[in-house]
Amino acid sequence: MEKIVLFMDNEPRFLQVQSRILEQAGYQVLMAHTLEGAEKELKEKRIHVAIFDIRMLDEDDEQDVSGLILAQTGEYRSIPKLILTGYPSYEYVREALGLAVDGQPPAVNFLDKDEGPEALVQAVGKVFTQYVRINWKLHIQWAEDQPLSFPGLVSLIEPYLASDHLPARCAEVEDLFRKLFYDYDQIIVSRLIWRKRTRVGLEVFAYSQEREEQFIVTCGRIQDNALERELCAKPASQAFDAGSISIKLTAETTQYAATAFAMGGSEPKEIQSLVTFCRAKPDRQIRSVLEHLFQNTLAPWHQQSLFVEESKGLSQLYRERSGLTEDAFPPADLARRMQALAKEALARNIADITFPSNRVEIKLSGGRSISYPNPIPCLYNDDMLLVPRVICRTTSGGLDVDTILVDQAGRTWLSDFAQAGPAPIGHDFVSLETAIRFELMEVGSLQALYDFEKRLLAARRLNETISSDDIEPEHRKALSAIQTIRRLASEAAGDDPGPYYIGLLFCTAAGLAMYDPTLKRTGPEIARLLHRLLFAAMLCEKIDQMKTKRSENLDLPASKSLRIDEANREAWVGEKRIVLTNTEFDLLLYLYSHVGALCKRSDIAQDVFGLKGENRETEDSLLNTNIGRLREKIEHDLSSPKYIMTVRGQGYKLIVQPE
């Protein structure tokens, strides 16, 4: 294996002589006599150790520390550096070997040029032994039934990499694995579990004389692995105390980073992605897996402290989280992408789409046209729906049906933490619903997808039960999964669909923004993108309708009292009469008769609806739906109710005179 040294010195004669000595000692040396030349090599080549002269601009200038400044560059933190100078001083040594902001010293050793070539060879050898830590003897094997290789991995991680850079990148990924499995004799890269943009998840078996271990290894570009690397650096993160998955090994090179996770309680060979599991299993098992995911696997994350985001609104948070800021995706650029998508859809005879005056018009089968707001302006509108209190928590990242893993017993694991960090409380739920909608659903006809989304958006509460009778059979599995996610979301974040729909809009649009008109796509891929466009437009209209309804029909001061005229079966908030159905009035009357006291859910189910130990899911759905409808009519702000208060996990309490 080649041991590659970058040698930077502004004296060409000295550089050539010393490099030749290092080559005779068995090293491959890349020479650079300028800062620009050194940076070019650092960016493009595979380098194990770098030797930097301090004075690179002016040999006679005591203030010239340009070589030391290059050594301090965070972009090259993974390369051990040796400082070599003809002007040694205490100040230079202290600055070269002292800790930088990220805890890494700019260099690992300091050498005076007068110490001679033998000292240089010894110093370089010591750096390789102590800091490079590449397992040169590791035997790397690829599973015979899998089309995997280092060139294949590089192509997955960097699909647009120039061909002349491929050999160096392949060698660097190999170094990454030799660093990651430094204490092992052999590894078998068994299979590709998932690919997500510039990252991959692999199953790897590692062997030494003492043990055999199995890992899930995530690998990707170092800049896309920053959050996961930061998470790995934290001591015993609470997120990994549930016995589900633990970080065992980490490694990085200049271009790439990798993390090896050990999976508790299951064999990786039994593991499959959630999308594979869902395609093969019936509804009942899918619901069970989703419940395990949120109630067990995500519990350590969701049990962390909640906080209110004071400085940013819900739309801004989701916009930043989904990468749809105006800097990243200017509205004009997004509009051009959608025009190109419409053109390709028409050329393939999938759909006829136009964009007249801030609208999206789509011709469905049979010549029928539908029209909805163009979602692009909505994405940059911070006033789409007022949510006064934005509650956040730390999330593991965007949940994805490819990176969530499931075993044969229905237990779940997370395997991607590259987007871990604070997010709105409903983020995990909308992320997974979005992934299921556009990965699990059969694309079919646009008309069938439109009917499906219209039926879902007709629900007035997040946890409202939707009959599958009028849903196409190929979409019923997705409906069951989505309703399970929404039920769990309503328990965690409330039953108001408004904030949830905002999250869905941004998660949906994020996938839509990834459409690149210069790349060829299959017909089903284009159909899924059109599904995203249609659903985003429908969400915009629904959110706008909710905003209008709240401003027109709920314009009541929160301080006005609620009262009931039982004889005439009427309810009033202040001076405004509230029109209620018989069921809604009976429910409100029950709460009114216990004003200020806790009304348990089981008691309400029995005394108001006559349910006596029936199916828990039916009971929950009936209660949530009717409480939600009642709140719609009496509350001023559904996101912050003043009259019907939820007592988490127990029931409700009616307040007739809010403060």
Side-chain angles (χ1 to χ4, degrees):
M1 297 293 293
E2 296 175 329
K3 297 182 178 180
I4 304 173
V5 176
L6 171 63
F7 200 153
M8 179 185 74
D9 196 284
N10 64 351
E11 297 182 23
R13 175 63 180 167
F14 177 82
L15 179 61
Q16 291 176 356
V17 171
Q18 301 300 316
S19 296
R20 192 175 299 114
I21 292 172
L22 288 173
E23 288 172 347
Q24 291 172 351
Y27 301 104
Q28 178 182 337
V29 182
L30 305 174
M31 292 183 287
H33 59 84
T34 65
L35 289 168
E36 294 76 16
E39 284 210 78
K40 186 175 186 298
E41 299 285 16
L42 287 166
K43 289 180 181 296
E44 297 180 0
K45 300 293 180 60
R46 167 199 182 203
I47 296 168
H48 297 126
V49 172
I51 304 172
F52 287 169
D53 185 14
I54 289 182
R55 298 184 186 180
M56 286 297 298
L57 299 178
D58 187 346
E59 193 72 20
D60 298 322
D61 184 2
E62 295 182 0
Q63 304 301 315
D64 178 16
V65 291
S66 53
L68 192 55
I69 292 173
L70 180 60
Q72 293 170 331
T73 304
E75 186 177 352
Y76 313 120
R77 52 172 279 170
S78 64
I79 300 175
K81 304 167 195 73
L82 176 66
I83 296 298
L84 183 65
T85 181
Y87 307 93
S89 70
Y90 170 75
E91 288 75 15
Y92 282 166
V93 172
R94 182 178 62 183
E95 191 168 353
L97 304 183
L99 291 181
V101 176
D102 62 357
Q104 297 285 334
V108 297
N109 205 348
F110 187 97
L111 197 65
D112 185 348
K113 288 183 178 180
D114 290 340
E115 293 184 54
E118 184 177 338
L120 177 61
V121 172
Q122 290 178 350
V124 171
K126 187 176 181 181
V127 173
F128 267 94
T129 301
Q130 295 183 352
Y131 299 100
V132 175
R133 287 184 62 82
I134 291 178
N135 186 347
W136 308 101
K137 296 181 179 180
L138 179 69
H139 179 68
I140 300 175
Q141 183 178 342
W142 304 86
E144 294 181 358
D145 59 342
Q146 293 285 318
L148 293 172
S149 63
F150 286 124
L153 287 185
V154 173
S155 298
L156 290 174
I157 295 169
E158 296 189 90
Y160 308 118
L161 182 71
S163 58
D164 55 333
H165 289 169
L166 183 60
R169 290 289 203 272
C170 291
E172 188 171 339
V173 173
E174 182 175 348
D175 285 346
L176 182 70
F177 276 76
R178 292 184 182 278
K179 283 173 170 278
L180 190 67
F181 294 101
Y182 184 79
D183 294 321
Y184 294 84
D185 302 319
Q186 177 186 354
I187 64 169
I188 299 176
V189 184
S190 178
R191 61 186 168 117
L192 175 71
I193 298 178
W194 53 262
R195 178 200 177 190
K196 191 174 180 182
R197 295 182 185 172
T198 59
R199 288 163 49 80
V200 296
L202 303 163
E203 176 187 80
V204 177
F205 295 81
Y207 305 90
S208 67
Q209 291 183 352
E210 297 81 17
R211 62 193 185 278
E212 171 186 343
E213 296 182 76
Q214 300 162 336
F215 297 97
I216 301 298
V217 174
T218 64
C219 176
R221 297 189 309 175
I222 194 166
Q223 61 266 37
D224 298 327
N225 205 56
L227 287 173
E228 186 167 277
R229 189 173 68 242
E230 180 181 340
L231 185 67
C232 295
K234 294 181 179 179
S237 172
Q238 179 186 354
F240 302 100
D241 288 344
S244 59
I245 193 166
S246 57
I247 298 171
K248 291 296 185 181
L249 308 166
T250 61
E252 61 182 53
T253 60
T254 307
Q255 304 292 337
Y256 305 111
T259 305
F261 298 96
M263 321 232 358
S266 189
E267 298 291 330
K269 60 186 177 184
E270 300 175 351
I271 298 294
Q272 57 188 313
S273 68
L274 178 60
V275 68
T276 302
F277 180 90
C278 288
R279 285 171 178 161
K281 302 298 182 181
D283 294 356
R284 177 181 53 81
Q285 288 183 259
I286 295 172
R287 290 194 298 269
S288 177
V289 162
L290 293 175
E291 288 171 352
H292 184 277
L293 172 68
F294 284 101
Q295 295 172 357
N296 296 85
T297 306
L298 286 167
W301 296 88
H302 290 183
Q303 289 167 2
Q304 297 182 59
S305 299
L306 302 177
F307 63 92
V308 177
E309 174 56 62
E310 303 286 357
S311 61
K312 298 178 181 178
L314 186 63
S315 299
Q316 184 180 357
L317 287 172
Y318 272 120
R319 187 182 304 115
E320 293 174 354
R321 186 82 197 180
S322 58
L324 291 174
T325 61
E326 290 195 50
D327 291 338
F329 283 99
D333 178 46
L334 203 51
R336 283 191 294 270
R337 292 173 187 245
M338 296 308 96
Q339 292 282 359
L341 176 62
K343 184 177 180 180
E344 186 165 0
L346 182 63
R348 290 173 176 267
N349 201 28
I350 299 174
D352 184 359
I353 303 172
T354 55
F355 299 89
S357 60
N358 282 333
R359 303 288 293 180
V360 176
E361 290 189 359
I362 304 175
K363 288 185 179 179
L364 301 175
S365 57
R368 179 189 175 194
S369 293
I370 56 174
S371 177
Y372 284 94
N374 188 332
I376 295 176
C378 298
L379 294 170
Y380 303 95
N381 177 15
D382 286 331
D383 191 35
M384 67 172 71
L385 188 66
L386 181 62
V387 181
R389 295 177 72 249
V390 182
I391 301 174
C392 298
R393 66 180 167 206
T394 301
T395 176
S396 60
L399 297 185
D400 191 279
V401 290
D402 292 316
T403 61
I404 296 169
L405 308 180
V406 187
D407 71 2
Q408 297 300 315
R411 292 171 295 187
T412 57
W413 288 263
L414 307 177
S415 65
D416 180 21
F417 303 94
Q419 294 180 317
I425 191 172
H427 177 267
D428 286 345
F429 302 97
V430 297
S431 292
L432 188 55
E433 178 178 327
T434 303
I436 282 177
R437 171 177 275 102
F438 300 113
E439 296 293 336
L440 182 60
M441 286 186 68
E442 298 291 337
V443 288
S445 71
L446 206 56
Q447 175 71 59
L449 294 172
Y450 170 67
D451 292 339
F452 175 87
E453 301 299 4
K454 189 174 180 180
R455 184 72 184 87
L456 270 180
L457 288 172
R460 289 187 287 182
R461 305 303 305 165
L462 195 59
N463 192 25
E464 185 172 321
T465 300
I466 298 172
S467 172
S468 62
D469 293 343
D470 52 353
I471 300 294
E472 294 290 333
E474 63 267 25
H475 296 159
R476 290 175 184 171
K477 183 179 287 189
L479 174 65
S480 176
I482 287 172
Q483 290 207 103
T484 300
I485 294 170
R486 291 189 174 189
R487 172 174 58 82
L488 295 166
S490 69
E491 294 172 0
D495 209 23
D496 179 9
Y500 195 88
Y501 288 164
I502 291 176
L504 277 180
L505 172 62
F506 281 98
C507 288
T508 298
L512 194 60
M514 292 299 104
Y515 170 68
D516 184 347
T518 65
L519 301 179
K520 299 295 183 183
R521 293 179 182 265
T522 64
E525 288 176 327
I526 295 298
R528 286 193 179 91
L529 287 166
L530 295 180
H531 183 193
R532 283 183 181 267
L533 176 61
L534 172 63
F535 185 51
M538 296 175 74
L539 281 168
C540 288
E541 180 171 271
K542 184 67 176 180
I543 292 169
D544 187 60
Q545 290 173 349
M546 296 175 73
K547 179 181 178 181
T548 301
K549 181 178 179 181
R550 292 182 186 189
S551 63
E552 291 179 353
N553 299 335
L554 298 176
D555 192 19
L556 293 172
S559 62
K560 291 193 174 182
S561 62
L562 182 149
R563 65 185 188 277
I564 283 182
D565 179 352
E566 186 174 355
N568 295 308
R569 292 182 66 81
E570 293 180 347
W572 300 77
V573 174
E575 300 302 318
K576 182 171 181 177
R577 178 174 175 267
I578 307 300
V579 179
L580 301 173
T581 65
N582 287 332
T583 300
E584 291 165 352
F585 184 85
D586 291 341
L587 175 57
L588 182 59
L589 180 60
Y590 181 85
L591 297 173
Y592 194 80
S593 65
H594 299 81
V595 65
L598 170 65
C599 297
K600 294 184 177 179
R601 293 175 64 91
S602 57
D603 292 340
I604 298 173
Q606 179 172 327
D607 297 342
V608 178
F609 300 104
L611 300 179
K612 299 180 180 180
E614 273 83 354
N615 182 277
R616 173 66 182 276
E617 187 172 338
T618 301
E619 179 181 298
D620 286 346
S621 176
L622 186 62
L623 272 176
N624 292 338
T625 298
N626 283 278
I627 288 289
R629 289 173 178 170
L630 193 54
R631 278 177 168 159
E632 282 185 342
K633 295 185 176 182
I634 68 174
E635 296 287 359
H636 175 66
D637 180 0
L638 287 176
S639 66
S640 182
K642 303 293 185 183
Y643 297 98
I644 302 176
M645 311 301 291
T646 299
V647 181
R648 185 71 66 192
Q650 299 184 58
Y652 304 95
K653 183 185 295 185
L654 182 69
I655 307 297
V656 296
Q657 183 68 52
E659 296 181 0

